[in-house]
């Protein structure tokens, strides 16, 4: 993408946006001159996706935010827009305003889109959670929802988190591992298979992910994820990847040897793996601000380096763009500060991507 001297009007985002912001890429703005390595350029050269979860409102209303997305990322995920509740205010009505805006922004700027998420336990509309449905009715709702949403963005959303967090928070080896969600209670464990089949029918070209929390390293939770996707594959369910969320913090940061081992065993099943929701909290950590930022940078550095060491690890997505809008506010867990200026974590990722040899084989 040629980033120099262009002025991109976000009016392309459509009629839904009453006061479009302007993404200006002028000298001295957030976008460096042509040729200067940015995170996006270095990641792109490696055929690797560096992504950020975005909010439609900020993308439309905050030009510093929109500029930062274009400068640093090759992919966007959707923080809330694709969740069932926001998308489906009533049984017969879909509201695609935010998802359309995000997908159009991404297309305008050459960014790839991850759709997060089709089936989850949270952010469901009341009409669904309060309703009483027979099993076959719930399957019909699930099918219709997935096929409408995935079908609308066929060929435009490259990867979907089809099912999110189907496993209980902590699972023991002997436990019943599936979380008792509305989907499990109403349909049974087959809801997972069905969701993947429905999504695949709606867009056979999309990469379909199972996404999970707290399953980054080795342990009972990641064993349960491994067993789940192993069984899905054996049954011929179209699952192509595992998303590891990576919401973490200083003092609780992942053991990179265990992360690497986990990535490799998932890859050995023929799956892609993506880090889908990374943020690194710093709250209540002792030490100077500089020490804290350096420690945060180390966590980002190690996770990216570990991911890049496994060819099947194809993307790292941060759960937000900068600390101005983070679900962990007032914590400051992202790569950019509240003014969208790069933090040491941003420099650390630049360093890791630079160190990757330019002539390295396409991933
Ligand atoms: C979070 C969003 O960031 C918040 O804005 C929202 O209020 C709740 O959901 N794991 C997930 C994400 O899979 O969907 C969650 O996103 C964060 C935890």
């Amino acid at each position: 993408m040629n980033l120099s001297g262009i002025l991109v009007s976000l009016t392309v985002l459509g009629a839904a946006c009453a006061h479009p912001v302007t993404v200006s890429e002028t000298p001295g703005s957030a976008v460096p001159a042509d040729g200067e390595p940015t995170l996006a350029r270095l990641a792109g050269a490696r055929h690797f996706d560096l992504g950020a979860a975005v909010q439609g409102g900020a993308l439309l209303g905050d030009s510093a935010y929109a500029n930062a997305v274009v400068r640093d990322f090759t992919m966007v995920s959707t923080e809330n827009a694709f969740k069932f509740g926001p998308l489906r205010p009533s049984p017969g009505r879909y509201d695609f305003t935010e998802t359309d805006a995000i997908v159009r922004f991404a297309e305008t700027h050459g960014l790839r889109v991850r759709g997060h998420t089709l089936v989850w336990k949270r952010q469901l509309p009341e009409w669904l959670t309060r309703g009483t449905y027979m099993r076959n009715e719930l399957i019909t709702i699930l099918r219709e929802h997935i096929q409408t949403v995935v079908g609308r963005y066929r060929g435009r959303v490259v990867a979907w988190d089809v099912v999110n967090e189907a496993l209980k928070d902590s699972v023991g080896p002997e436990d019943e591992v599936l979380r008792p969600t509305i989907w499990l209670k109403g349909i049974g464990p087959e809801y997972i298979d069905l969701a993947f089949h429905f999504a695949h029918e709606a867009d056979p070209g999309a990469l379909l992910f199972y996404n999970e929390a707290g399953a980054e390293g080795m342990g009972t939770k990641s064993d349960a994820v491994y067993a789940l996707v192993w069984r899905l594959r054996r049954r011929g369910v179209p699952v192509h990847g595992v998303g590891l969320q990576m919401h973490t913090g200083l003092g609780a940061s992942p053991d990179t040897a265990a992360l690497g081992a986990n990535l490799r065993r998932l890859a050995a099943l023929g799956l892609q793996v993506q880090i889908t929701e990374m943020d690194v909290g710093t709250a209540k950590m002792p030490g100077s601000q500089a020490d804290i930022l350096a420690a945060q940078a180390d966590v980002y550095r190690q996770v990216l380096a570990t991911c890049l060491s496994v060819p099947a690890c194809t993307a790292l997505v941060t759960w937000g763009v900068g600390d101005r809008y983070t679900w962990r506010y007032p914590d400051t867990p992202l790569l950019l500060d509240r003014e969208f200026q790069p933090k040491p974590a941003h420099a650390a990722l630049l360093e890791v991507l630079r160190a990757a040899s330019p002539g390295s084989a396409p991933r």
Side-chain angles (χ1 to χ4, degrees), residues 39-51 74-75 112 273-275 303-304 307-317 353 363:
L39 286 181
R41 289 175 186 155
L42 291 168
R46 275 196 70 105
H47 305 280
F48 181 79
D49 276 315
L50 198 62
T74 62
M75 172 177 260
R112 286 144 56 84
V273 192
Q274 301 191 339
I275 307 296
V303 169
L304 179 61
C307 176
L308 289 175
S309 74
V310 178
C313 189
T314 51
L316 186 156
V317 179
L353 287 167
R363 298 168 55 86

Side-chain angles (χ1 to χ4, degrees), residues 59-139:
L59 213 48
L60 296 171
D62 186 335
S63 56
Y65 178 100
N67 269 318
V69 171
V70 173
R71 180 191 64 193
D72 281 328
F73 300 102
T74 62
M75 172 177 260
V76 290
S77 184
T78 50
E79 186 168 355
N80 291 300
F82 269 122
K83 291 172 182 171
F84 206 120
L87 209 51
R88 198 80 184 277
S90 59
R93 192 168 78 81
Y94 290 81
D95 183 351
F96 290 114
T97 312
E98 187 180 358
T99 51
D100 278 355
I102 292 172
V103 172
R104 279 200 220 111
F105 180 93
E107 287 172 343
T108 303
H109 297 285
L111 303 165
R112 286 144 56 84
V113 182
R114 285 191 104 258
H116 173 86
T117 177
L118 297 168
V119 184
W120 194 28
K121 63 175 192 295
R122 291 182 52 201
Q123 291 178 273
L124 294 169
E126 274 199 7
W127 63 262
L128 184 61
T129 51
R130 298 231 169 137
T132 314
Y133 299 99
M134 304 288 289
R135 181 173 188 272
N136 62 340
E137 291 172 325
L138 212 49
I139 290 176

Side-chain angles (χ1 to χ4, degrees), residues 79-80 83 116 120 122-123 164-165 211 245 247 277 319 327:
E79 186 168 355
N80 291 300
K83 291 172 182 171
H116 173 86
W120 194 28
R122 291 182 52 201
Q123 291 178 273
N164 189 35
E165 299 179 354
N211 195 52
Q245 292 185 3
H247 293 291
E277 306 185 19
W319 203 240
W327 73 308

Side-chain angles (χ1 to χ4, degrees), residues 32 55 91 102 115 134 184 204 235-236 295 298 321 324 348:
Q55 303 172 3
I102 292 172
M134 304 288 289
L184 182 72
R235 290 199 290 272
D298 268 343
V321 176
R324 188 183 299 178

